[in-house]
Amino acid sequence: MVSSVKKGDVDQGFQQHPFLLPVEHIVRELGSDISNGLTALRAQENKVRYGENKLRGEGGVQWYSVLLKQISNAMILVLVLAMGLSYGVTDYIEGGVITAVIVLNVLIGFYQEFQAEKKMDSLRSLSSPSAAVLRDGRFETIPSAEVVPGDVVQITTGDTIPADLRLYEAMNLECDEKILTGEAIPVAKDVETDFSGKDELGTGVGDRLNMAYSSSTVTKGRGRGVVVFTGMFTEIGKIADSMEGKARKPNRSMSRKDHGRLQPMKGAALRVWDGMGRFLGLTEGTPLQIKLSKLAYLLLLCALILAFIVFGVNKFNVTNEVAIYAISTGIAIIPESLIAVLTITMVVGMTQMRKRRVVIRQLSALEALGGVTNICSDKTGTLTQGQMVTRKAWIPGIGTYTVRDSEEAANPTQGTVSLTATSALASQEQGDTEEKRAIRDQERSAIALRFDLPADKAHPNRMTADDRFDEKTQEETGSIESPEVVPQLEAFLQSTALCNLATVRYDSQKNEWQTTGDPTEVALQVFAYRFRYGKSKLEDQEGWEELTEYPFDSSVKRMSVIYKRPGQHHASVFTKGAVERIIDLCTRVGFGEHEEEMTLETKDRVLGQMSMLADGGLRVLAIARKTVDYGLVGNSEVPRDEIESDLTLLGLAGLYDPPRLETKDAIKECTTAGIKVHMLTGDHPGTATAIAKEVGIIPRNLNSLPKDVAEALVKTATEFDGMSDEQIDGMPDLPLVIARCAPHTKTRMIGALHRRKAFAAMTGDGVNDAPSLQAADVGIAMGMAGSDVAKGASDIVLTDDNFASIVNAIEEGRRMFDNMQRFIVHLLTSNVGEVILLIIGLAFQDRAGFSVFPLSPLQILWINMLTSSFPAFGLGKEKKSHDVMTRPPHDNKRGVFTTQIIVDMLVYGIAMGACTLLTFVIIVYGPGNGDLGHDCNRNYSSSCDVVFRARAAVFAELTWLILISAWEFKSLRRSMFRLDPTQTAHSFPFFHDVYENRFLFWAVVLGFCSVFPAVYIPGLNTSVFKHKGIGWEWALSLGAIVVFVAAVEGWKFLKRQFGWFSASERSDIGKDKNLRQGFFSFATIAKTLTGTNSIGGQAVAESEGKSIEVMHKI
């Protein structure tokens, strides 16, 4: 029996190891089927029987680590210190209350963060590796955790293998198994390997060539296999089961033998340092979490300094009263709920992102998204729909086949095919007068410019320039409808169908056509099906058999396969790929009677045809073939360069991938948000330029721009990579479009952006995109088309592969950033106010010469824990501000603690402290005649009546000021009475605005009402809070609200009036009027534009309440 049975696990075993068994035996034993896979019912049964495909303990958060994190919080440590002092001075009531607060705070924080971590795990799992499994006859993509024994899995280049597979089909399949074997060289798989006479012990893991192992990655080729082991029964699971602990950082070894006599001391010291850093939260977490942990310990230091000041004022005569006052100041400066509010806000933000089709893999991405200045995006499937249709096919010597009226990419029966003969095209070209050509060019240009028209004025059924040109050509040349299949077309169709991994089939039950595979290959396969030359027919009915496959490689941009056909004494090589990469490998062009040598003149004609197709927005691929002897192919792999040489060009295929409807609006939104969009695509420059113009990335008329600017906007990868870093940095601006882009081109682009102080996001989907995703400040992987390797290297994953979702993520990131600033100002303002009140309060001394605190420690705890926390949570849920996407990106280096935040915190804190201090002075030194009583910090007596009444008024006032400030901080610049200057629905929108955030509204209202029982409940007021019921003093507390609101509104007015701390704090955002992506018109691009060497950002001229204009820098 092959497997190790562990407690709680159902054995996954066979009489012999699967690599020794025939596939038929394994499939039969697991109740599966090679052709149809598992049924849904059997898959569910196997899942119940064998469990999820996870390693033990994988991905789960440990409760004790969360609890330890709560206890090690600096905020809690201050409370623990205060608790110890309270018990030390025999104030058991206060000590008991602080103990209860500590326990409650730890438990609430533990529950919230534990639930938050579980939520983050569940969200993160949405972007975890996935698997393409065959169930009920259809391939579907499921999370790897749901793979069960018996599943038929399809693997391709870039995939992470989800479980241990017994392969039964492999085409040039190679897997990187160094995670198991330590060997860096990928292992070539061979399903035909004979293991007769071998056994499990005598055959190592790396020698089992018909097996593919969980967690290894596919580096080349493709294959299919049956899942035989999952979870802890896989080879990687056995390793995980035997491992103890985890890898340590360098220099942490305790070995004297390996590292010298002093190593034990050095290693121990570093381990202790690491442990302290983890315990205190200073070395683990996101940049913002670490920054807040540092802030917490800075405040702890401040608390100790304040305590020292208290002791100093009392000449270090530390009596019980002095110690209690020190406790009060220490508690006052610490925002106890800050970390909890931050954690919950982040998790709520992740949930909101998920609703907008964005999965956050790294929490740091939440902080970074709002600071993105440049987005480098792929074209296919991101800016465009990713639903390709072969619109044109040019066959040398025959003409151009055109597909019309085809809206369903998967349906080969929809639409019509016509042929425009080469002779007719030539006659038309020769007969065209200059006037006629100019008219046609003008018509095509006018049609292209229609994209600038508002949607309500554009014709709902408009046709592309390409379609109009097709109609004109048909009228003038009399093209042939439903043309017959000539030998030249047959050769072209054979190559497109066989050099293809896509499948097309008709589902009679659902009455629809279904496809699998890359959209480009689907388009070519559907085109072949239109003429009944699909791959399945060629292989099943005509006997074509695949011998070797050279998969698509982004570095060479082509793919080749070798096939043989019964009755032929040679094999055929079929190749497809980028025209520039194929045409140089071709020595002949055409087929049959139209075959000719590839001369320079012929090559120019082919390239001209390619340009004509590309200029119409079509993605152009070259199709080629050649014949080789069987002896050359043999049983071993022939070098790719040798196979892909001396080819014969069969024709060009023009594929159309329309832009997504929402792309242009998303690019406009980027422009107004100060973000520049770059398109990095593998397509032909003509195709890339046409799509870039259509969606608004570049202007339609480049000739109206200065020459150096126009030349910089569009580059090929060859041109860009051929430039030195100094030449790139000397360009007036980085290219907005890079065509024929290779993976290393993306990495160079990120480096160039970083040198211009830009904060860049990069999209990617392939294995080779991983370096650029990691190099980018925010790596964005495609959830639908992306490889597992790309997802693993990314920070966020788009579940719909849509560019608009990137913009949604940035908008959500900015909203969260704003909300973090709001609740940080709210929490720290109250702390500043409390500290000012207590420090100045040292001057209030009683008959015995001891300072009398204006607020008791438990009043401060009540305010910090209950009064401040819930409004802070509400501010974390605040909706986006009206200008969230009409201002420049924030500076991630400065983070949330900008100059405005720090100054606001001090100004509002001083105002809050001054109001409460004035109330205390009026009550004590007015009607109270300055009588501060005796021992009023500990007990109530008749001599303390004035002090207790003053404390009650200050307590109520401070509570209300903190609550009202939450409404004020809904905007750091706009008036609370008109938060959105653009809205016209309400003449006085205050009530509408404050009620819009229901959680915050009720937190303020209920907090306002909670003051009364705290002031009037007997025993609770005098014994716990050290205050008593009041009467006329309420007027002072209420009046202070008016004064505080006036002060806050006055400060906001000054900021708006004089432009202090305006949103354009980023000095690296340009101020010149330049290109505005998505807003191009003849009026704008006709102006002379000047270039600078700054980043490709945009400037926002902010004047609140006025129009906002955002321009690109070139």
Side-chain angles (χ1 to χ4, degrees):
M1 191 70 68
V2 182
S3 67
S4 56
V5 182
K6 302 169 182 65
K7 187 177 180 180
D9 290 336
V10 175
D11 183 28
Q12 300 178 17
F14 299 86
Q15 293 301 321
Q16 287 183 294
H17 195 284
F19 83 90
L20 298 170
L21 298 174
V23 173
E24 294 76 13
H25 176 87
I26 297 171
V27 169
R28 186 170 57 253
E29 186 168 334
L30 294 174
S32 186
D33 180 82
I34 292 295
S35 302
N36 297 308
L38 292 174
T39 63
L41 179 61
R42 185 57 186 260
Q44 184 61 33
E45 291 176 353
N46 286 3
K47 184 177 180 179
V48 173
R49 180 181 180 187
Y50 299 114
E52 287 192 321
N53 180 31
K54 289 183 177 181
L55 300 182
R56 191 174 291 118
E58 185 181 74
V61 59
Q62 303 298 327
W63 66 268
Y64 51 81
S65 63
V66 177
L67 182 60
L68 185 63
K69 183 178 178 181
Q70 289 296 318
I71 296 174
S72 63
N73 188 338
M75 319 298 183
I76 296 298
L77 296 180
V78 173
L79 293 179
V80 170
L81 182 61
M83 178 189 68
L85 287 173
S86 298
Y87 286 130
V89 299
T90 67
D91 192 339
Y92 297 112
I93 294 179
E94 186 169 290
V97 172
I98 294 178
T99 302
V101 168
I102 291 173
V103 173
L104 185 64
N105 198 31
V106 168
L107 291 179
I108 292 176
F110 167 75
Y111 174 78
Q112 289 174 333
E113 186 158 351
F114 187 65
Q115 293 298 318
E117 291 285 353
K118 290 172 66 177
K119 183 71 174 178
M120 284 188 282
D121 280 342
S122 65
L123 288 175
R124 203 175 287 116
S125 68
L126 294 173
S127 64
S128 63
S130 54
V133 300
L134 183 65
R135 290 185 178 175
D136 290 322
R138 295 182 59 184
F139 273 102
E140 54 186 80
T141 301
I142 63 174
S144 294
E146 297 182 13
V147 171
V148 297
D151 266 326
V152 173
V153 177
Q154 179 172 276
I155 52 177
T156 59
T157 303
D159 286 350
T160 298
I161 298 175
D164 285 3
L165 308 179
R166 170 59 165 90
L167 299 171
Y168 66 86
E169 180 182 303
M171 185 56 62
N172 289 339
L173 181 63
E174 293 185 5
C175 298
D176 181 355
E177 297 178 352
K178 63 175 174 285
I179 191 173
L180 295 173
T181 64
E183 295 293 334
I185 301 175
V187 178
K189 298 299 179 180
D190 183 4
V191 298
E192 303 297 334
T193 303
D194 185 9
F195 289 102
S196 301
K198 301 291 183 67
D199 58 24
E200 181 180 356
L201 296 178
T203 308
V205 170
D207 296 326
R208 303 168 187 176
L209 302 183
N210 58 7
M211 294 288 296
Y213 296 104
S214 174
S215 298
S216 61
T217 55
V218 180
T219 59
K220 182 180 179 182
R222 58 186 174 86
R224 292 184 182 181
V226 181
V227 175
V228 290
F229 297 125
T230 59
M232 296 301 293
F233 291 91
T234 62
E235 291 297 327
I236 195 69
K238 295 174 185 177
I239 295 175
D241 190 50
S242 64
M243 290 176 62
E244 294 182 0
K246 60 180 182 180
R248 293 188 179 275
K249 295 180 181 179
N251 299 321
R252 269 63 176 177
S253 172
M254 302 288 286
S255 173
R256 179 184 289 106
K257 180 180 179 181
D258 296 335
H259 302 282
R261 296 176 59 186
L262 297 178
Q263 184 59 35
M265 296 177 59
K266 181 180 178 182
L270 290 174
R271 289 187 185 189
V272 171
W273 177 262
D274 292 341
M276 290 178 60
R278 285 193 301 270
F279 181 80
L280 298 176
L282 297 175
T283 58
E284 292 186 358
T286 71
L288 179 59
Q289 289 172 332
I290 293 174
K291 189 175 292 185
L292 289 178
S293 293
K294 291 179 180 178
L295 171 66
Y297 290 107
L298 176 63
L299 294 178
L300 174 58
L301 178 62
C302 292
L304 295 176
I305 293 174
L306 290 176
F308 185 81
I309 292 173
V310 172
F311 295 152
V313 170
N314 289 275
K315 300 178 181 179
F316 294 97
N317 181 19
V318 185
T319 62
N320 291 351
E321 289 78 6
V322 174
I324 292 173
Y325 204 103
I327 293 171
S328 298
T329 56
I331 293 174
I333 200 172
I334 300 295
E336 289 84 358
S337 59
L338 178 58
I339 302 298
V341 173
L342 174 67
T343 302
I344 299 303
T345 301
M346 280 189 156
V347 175
V348 170
M350 290 181 71
T351 305
Q352 290 299 319
M353 291 274 196
R354 177 68 185 93
K355 293 179 180 177
R356 304 189 77 171
R357 298 182 174 88
V358 177
V359 176
I360 301 296
R361 289 182 51 83
Q362 303 292 336
L363 270 180
S364 57
L366 287 175
E367 307 157 31
L369 277 168
V372 169
T373 62
N374 295 69
I375 302 175
C376 299
S377 174
D378 192 9
K379 177 185 74 68
T380 304
T382 306
L383 295 171
T384 60
Q385 297 178 18
Q387 297 291 327
M388 289 192 168
V389 176
T390 302
R391 185 64 59 85
K392 289 177 176 291
W394 175 73
I395 311 297
I398 301 300
T400 300
Y401 294 83
T402 303
V403 178
R404 295 189 184 86
D405 304 323
S406 177
E407 301 298 330
E408 296 181 28
N411 190 347
T413 64
Q414 187 183 65
T416 60
V417 181
S418 62
L419 168 64
T420 303
T422 300
S423 57
L425 286 173
S427 299
Q428 175 195 344
E429 190 68 26
Q430 293 172 2
D432 271 352
T433 63
E434 291 298 325
E435 180 181 2
K436 191 172 182 180
R437 290 179 185 178
I439 293 173
R440 187 171 63 198
D441 290 341
Q442 183 179 4
E443 181 185 6
R444 295 183 71 188
S445 298
I447 295 169
L449 289 171
R450 279 186 158 210
F451 290 101
D452 280 341
L453 292 175
D456 57 342
K457 294 183 179 180
H459 194 282
N461 296 316
R462 68 182 178 219
M463 296 159 58
T464 66
D466 192 55
D467 291 334
R468 290 285 184 90
F469 184 64
D470 287 341
E471 286 194 347
K472 194 171 185 66
T473 301
Q474 183 177 353
E475 291 172 3
E476 295 177 357
T477 64
S479 60
I480 304 170
E481 296 289 344
S482 303
E484 63 177 346
V485 178
V486 295
Q488 291 76 15
L489 176 60
E490 181 182 18
F492 181 89
L493 295 174
Q494 287 174 347
S495 189
T496 57
L498 295 175
C499 186
N500 199 310
L501 303 181
T503 63
V504 179
R505 74 184 189 95
Y506 182 73
D507 190 328
S508 56
Q509 293 182 347
K510 295 187 176 181
N511 194 30
E512 64 180 17
W513 285 89
Q514 297 177 342
T515 62
T516 61
D518 180 80
T520 299
E521 296 197 320
V522 167
L524 293 172
Q525 193 70 254
V526 169
F527 183 75
Y529 265 76
R530 292 182 182 277
F531 299 90
R532 302 183 184 276
Y533 274 81
K535 184 176 183 179
S536 59
K537 178 186 176 183
L538 294 176
E539 290 184 337
D540 299 340
Q541 298 181 22
E542 299 188 13
W544 287 91
E545 179 183 349
E546 186 173 2
L547 301 177
T548 307
E549 176 185 311
Y550 295 86
F552 177 81
D553 188 331
S554 58
S555 62
V556 297
K557 296 188 180 302
R558 59 180 179 266
M559 169 190 176
S560 296
V561 294
I562 302 178
Y563 267 81
K564 69 176 181 178
R565 187 180 188 182
Q568 291 185 348
H569 300 290
H570 59 265
S572 298
V573 177
F574 300 112
T575 302
K576 72 168 184 291
V579 179
E580 300 93 329
R581 301 299 180 93
I582 298 291
I583 196 170
D584 290 335
L585 304 176
C586 295
T587 56
R588 302 187 68 78
V589 60
F591 185 80
E593 61 183 12
H594 295 289
E595 186 174 345
E596 59 181 304
E597 293 289 333
M598 178 68 80
T599 63
L600 290 177
E601 181 182 353
T602 307
K603 186 175 181 179
D604 289 341
R605 190 171 77 248
V606 173
L607 292 176
Q609 187 67 36
M610 176 197 68
S611 297
M612 190 175 75
L613 295 175
D615 290 345
L618 302 183
R619 181 182 184 185
V620 186
L621 296 179
I623 310 297
R625 69 179 292 175
K626 78 170 186 177
T627 59
V628 294
D629 294 334
Y630 284 129
L632 177 62
V633 179
N635 295 321
S636 61
E637 183 176 324
V638 182
R640 183 167 197 154
D641 293 343
E642 186 174 344
I643 290 296
E644 296 173 335
S645 62
D646 296 325
L647 299 174
T648 299
L649 182 69
L650 299 179
L652 304 178
L655 283 61
Y656 181 63
D657 182 15
R660 293 179 184 267
L661 298 178
E662 61 271 28
T663 295
K664 190 169 186 179
D665 289 337
I667 290 175
K668 286 183 180 179
E669 198 168 0
C670 285
T671 298
T672 59
I675 301 169
K676 175 169 285 187
V677 180
H678 305 260
M679 178 199 289
L680 278 63
T681 176
D683 277 345
H684 180 270
T687 306
T689 302
I691 296 296
K693 289 179 179 179
E694 191 168 338
V695 299
I697 291 178
I698 59 176
R700 299 190 181 281
N701 187 2
L702 295 176
N703 295 328
S704 62
L705 300 176
K707 184 179 180 181
D708 61 336
V709 174
E711 290 178 349
L713 291 186
V714 180
K715 294 284 186 183
T716 64
T718 303
E719 295 170 340
F720 187 77
D721 292 336
M723 301 172 68
S724 65
D725 289 347
E726 292 74 17
Q727 290 174 318
I728 293 175
D729 295 340
M731 297 173 67
D733 188 27
L734 293 177
L736 297 181
V737 176
I738 299 183
R740 294 304 188 206
C741 186
H744 68 273
T745 310
K746 294 185 175 183
T747 306
R748 287 205 73 195
M749 184 66 169
I750 291 295
L753 287 168
H754 285 167
R755 291 194 298 275
R756 298 187 182 215
K757 309 302 181 186
F759 198 83
M762 172 69 75
T763 67
D765 53 14
V767 179
N768 293 333
D769 289 331
S772 61
L773 291 175
Q774 291 178 328
D777 300 291
V778 179
I780 305 171
M782 303 296 109
M784 297 171 64
S787 66
D788 291 335
V789 174
K791 293 177 187 177
S794 67
D795 299 302
I796 68 175
V797 177
L798 306 182
T799 60
D800 61 353
D801 294 6
N802 193 338
F803 179 82
S805 295
I806 302 176
V807 181
N808 292 339
I810 291 174
E811 180 182 88
E812 188 65 26
R814 290 190 176 192
R815 184 192 71 84
M816 285 193 57
F817 186 87
D818 289 348
N819 289 349
M820 289 177 191
Q821 290 190 319
R822 290 179 180 123
F823 68 65
I824 285 174
V825 169
H826 177 258
L827 291 173
L828 295 182
T829 292
S830 62
N831 293 125
V832 172
E834 292 165 7
V835 169
I836 289 173
L837 178 63
L838 290 174
I839 291 300
I840 297 179
L842 286 169
F844 304 136
Q845 296 186 342
D846 62 12
R847 300 166 187 172
F850 292 111
S851 297
V852 177
F853 45 61
L855 280 176
S856 70
L858 295 186
Q859 284 178 320
I860 295 171
L861 277 178
W862 176 278
I863 291 172
N864 288 358
M865 293 297 299
L866 297 179
T867 302
S868 297
S869 298
F870 293 105
F873 283 130
L875 287 172
K877 296 167 68 69
E878 187 68 15
K879 72 169 189 175
K880 65 180 181 181
S881 59
H882 72 280
D883 63 342
V884 69
M885 292 298 282
T886 56
R887 60 173 187 255
H890 62 252
D891 190 346
N892 277 292
K893 292 182 178 179
R894 304 185 67 178
V896 295
F897 293 99
T898 61
T899 304
Q900 178 177 214
I901 295 299
I902 296 172
V903 174
D904 282 357
M905 178 182 69
L906 294 175
V907 170
Y908 299 146
I910 291 171
M912 193 175 287
C915 288
T916 52
L917 185 65
L918 184 62
T919 297
F920 189 84
V921 169
I922 290 174
I923 295 174
V924 172
Y925 292 95
N929 296 318
D931 185 8
L932 293 171
H934 175 70
D935 197 22
C936 296
N937 286 349
R938 302 190 64 180
N939 303 298
Y940 174 74
S941 64
S942 58
S943 66
C944 297
D945 186 74
V946 173
V947 172
F948 271 50
R949 293 172 70 88
R951 280 193 195 132
V954 169
F955 170 75
E957 179 180 319
L958 186 58
T959 299
W960 289 344
L961 294 186
I962 290 172
L963 294 171
I964 291 299
S965 71
W967 281 345
E968 279 284 6
F969 299 155
K970 283 167 71 75
S971 173
L972 299 181
R973 301 183 65 82
R974 297 296 311 170
S975 169
M976 174 176 67
F977 302 103
R978 193 168 188 81
L979 294 173
D980 184 359
T982 63
Q983 74 88 28
T984 56
H986 305 86
S987 57
F988 185 68
F990 171 74
F991 297 105
H992 171 268
D993 290 340
V994 298
Y995 189 65
E996 194 171 28
N997 186 336
R998 305 291 176 83
F999 186 97
L1000 178 59
F1001 175 82
W1002 290 112
V1004 172
V1005 171
L1006 295 177
F1008 189 94
C1009 297
S1010 70
V1011 168
F1012 299 103
V1015 169
Y1016 286 113
I1017 293 178
L1020 179 67
N1021 53 6
T1022 56
S1023 300
V1024 177
F1025 290 118
K1026 305 295 190 298
H1027 63 216
K1028 64 173 295 185
I1030 55 177
W1032 65 270
E1033 293 88 350
W1034 288 113
L1036 292 175
S1037 300
L1038 291 170
I1041 297 177
V1042 178
V1043 175
F1044 178 74
V1045 169
V1048 175
E1049 290 292 326
W1051 176 247
K1052 287 184 177 180
F1053 174 78
L1054 290 175
K1055 288 197 294 183
R1056 294 194 303 271
Q1057 186 70 20
F1058 296 103
W1060 297 341
F1061 319 115
S1062 64
S1064 54
E1065 283 184 341
R1066 289 183 62 102
S1067 60
D1068 51 0
I1069 297 294
K1071 297 180 181 179
D1072 297 332
K1073 289 187 177 182
N1074 281 289
L1075 290 176
R1076 305 183 66 205
Q1077 291 181 319
F1079 291 90
F1080 295 125
S1081 65
F1082 281 117
T1084 13
I1085 63 178
K1087 296 179 181 179
T1088 301
L1089 303 176
T1090 59
T1092 69
N1093 288 326
S1094 63
I1095 85 166
Q1098 294 154 317
V1100 178
E1102 178 192 306
S1103 178
E1104 301 199 24
K1106 300 178 182 179
S1107 63
I1108 298 174
E1109 184 180 26
V1110 185
M1111 291 294 188
H1112 264 297
K1113 289 206 74 180
I1114 293 295

